[in-house]
Amino acid sequence: MSFVSAITSRLAPLASPSTYKTAFMNMRTVYDPQVRAGKFMPMIHLMLAIGTIGYVQEYYAIGRFHVAHAQHEKEAALAEYKEKHGSHH
């Protein structure tokens, strides 16, 4: 089995709607009784999922540039320090 066919066989179920329908139905069988009983745990899970998705999207869209900019500033400051004071190694 080639590498490409191995990857394709692993990714093929992601293109199938039945994969997502099965996952949704499994979640529904877990959370429906809890929602009907008035428990708050499904709401906590929903808030955590939305928060995590939002954080990942923000980091991907904006945060990685801020991290790269801060790293560049540190490198520039270190280079300036070494230029002024020399490297004593």
Side-chain angles (χ1 to χ4, degrees), residues 5-43:
S5 63
I7 295 295
T8 306
S9 67
R10 295 283 178 135
L11 294 179
L14 295 177
S16 171
S18 65
T19 301
Y20 301 103
K21 185 176 181 181
T22 303
F24 179 74
M25 293 307 289
N26 289 341
M27 284 189 338
R28 192 165 175 195
T29 58
V30 170
Y31 285 113
D32 265 357
Q34 292 182 8
V35 170
R36 292 183 193 280
K39 297 191 177 181
F40 196 66
M41 189 59 69
M43 184 63 74

Side-chain angles (χ1 to χ4, degrees), residues 59-78:
Y59 180 81
Y60 181 74
I62 299 171
R64 61 189 170 134
F65 300 113
H66 291 284
V67 171
H69 180 67
Q71 183 66 28
H72 178 70
E73 285 182 340
K74 288 178 188 175
E75 289 172 357
L78 184 59

